[in-house]
Amino acid sequence: MTDANVSMFERIGGAETIDRLVESFYHRMDTLPEAQGIRDMHDADLGPVKRVFKRYLTEWLGGPDLYSSERGHPRLRQRHMGFPIGNAARDAWMLCLDGALAETVADEAARQAIRDSVAKLADWMRNRQDAEEG
Ligand code: HEM
């Protein structure tokens, strides 16, 4: 049974799960050959973006407002404009996320719900067509 009063953040295990999820996500980005293109968009040191992404996901899943209290309105699409994100980058990013979710979120319905909403955000983050699509 799900309780509408329990946030997704709490349902999946709170800060500890977010921590494991984000570590797993960036580990995949750092090691999967399919993710090399998006890995190269990031700094050599993934420490700072891990910290920010943990704070973002915490807030976005209904936990404490750790992101906006520090960085203001997310304006995520705008923050990603400087990076060339087309279908290939979106797919590579989602590949890392799917693996990380499978590894760290045991509740299948919760995992699917998170996956579906993040996929919409990832679609929206695209700001150009892949070169091969012309
Ligand atoms: C679709 C493919 C995506 C790519 C290739 C991508 C890539 C990036 C890159 C290169 C950065 C900058 C990292 C740095 O500062 O070193 C970044 C930051 C960030 N991304 Fe993404 N991203 C994608 C989708 C998403 C999605 C769907 C979300 C949210 C669910 C997200 C959340 C964030 C956040 C919160 C930051 C930090 C923003 C800040 O500085 O406040 N990204 N992303």
Side-chain angles (χ1 to χ4, degrees):
M1 287 293 275
T2 55
D3 178 345
N5 294 316
V6 171
S7 69
M8 189 59 91
F9 173 75
E10 290 171 74
R11 186 172 156 195
I12 65 171
E16 199 188 314
T17 302
I18 297 286
D19 205 64
R20 294 177 52 230
L21 174 65
V22 172
E23 291 296 331
S24 172
F25 173 76
Y26 284 108
H27 177 69
R28 283 158 203 278
M29 191 189 287
D30 207 22
T31 53
L32 290 179
E34 297 94 321
Q36 196 179 342
I38 60 170
R39 174 64 184 91
D40 290 346
M41 296 177 194
H42 293 74
D43 268 6
D45 178 7
L46 290 172
V49 74
K50 277 185 192 172
R51 179 179 177 278
V52 179
F53 196 40
K54 283 175 191 175
R55 295 172 80 90
Y56 176 84
L57 282 182
T58 296
E59 181 163 348
W60 190 69
L61 294 173
D65 64 347
L66 300 182
Y67 180 89
S68 58
S69 59
E70 184 176 88
R71 296 183 69 74
H73 190 281
R75 298 181 298 114
L76 268 195
R77 192 157 195 282
Q78 202 174 321
R79 288 190 205 266
H80 285 78
M81 260 326 160
F83 308 107
I85 304 179
N87 289 333
R90 187 253 345 249
D91 291 347
W93 197 94
M94 286 303 300
L95 180 73
C96 299
L97 185 83
D98 282 339
L101 281 171
E103 184 184 325
T104 60
V105 178
D107 177 336
E108 199 178 330
R111 187 164 74 225
Q112 193 60 46
I114 293 170
R115 204 255 171 217
D116 289 350
S117 11
V118 178
K120 288 190 190 117
L121 267 182
D123 279 344
W124 182 66
M125 224 59 83
R126 286 173 297 172
N127 49 37
R128 62 202 73 190
Q129 293 196 327
D130 293 334
E132 64 270 24
E133 289 167 9

